[in-house]
Amino acid sequence: GLEQAAREELDFFNWCPSPRSWWQLAHTRDGRLAGIHVPARNPGGPCVGFIGVVPEARGHGYGYDLLVETTHFLAGQGATSIAGATDRGNTPMAAAFSRAGHRIVQERIHLV
């Protein structure tokens, strides 16, 4: 369920050696919550830890905006390359990665 999924995401973020202070909420110009982005560093290097847009803010390009903010933040921390991933069915986020110039270099499949 949702609670378990959220717990697994938080476990991942807490496992990453990057500090909690990197996590950032994003708001619209009028102050409404738009989403969250989590720039991170895992053992492989800088990565897009998480980008989430709240349901009522979807469809306005905020996923792309948050990806850009994450990229700028990590570049400011000295990153020269940044890894990112999304689920195959998450076409809006896949489009944001593509628009931002990210190339698909590998595909991972979870077998349960």
Side-chain angles (χ1 to χ4, degrees), residues 3 31-32 46 52 62 70 73 77:
E3 187 174 323
R32 290 178 290 144
Y62 294 132
T70 299
F73 181 88
Q77 297 294 318

Side-chain angles (χ1 to χ4, degrees), residues 24-81:
Q24 301 174 31
L25 293 177
H27 296 85
T28 62
R29 292 186 194 276
D30 61 1
R32 290 178 290 144
L33 180 65
I36 182 173
H37 63 110
V38 180
R41 181 175 295 279
N42 65 27
C47 65
V48 178
F50 183 80
I51 291 178
V53 177
V54 297
E56 57 272 16
R58 292 181 184 155
H60 299 283
Y62 294 132
Y64 174 79
D65 294 342
L66 295 175
L67 177 59
V68 169
E69 286 299 317
T70 299
T71 302
H72 285 167
F73 181 88
L74 290 169
Q77 297 294 318
T80 57
S81 66

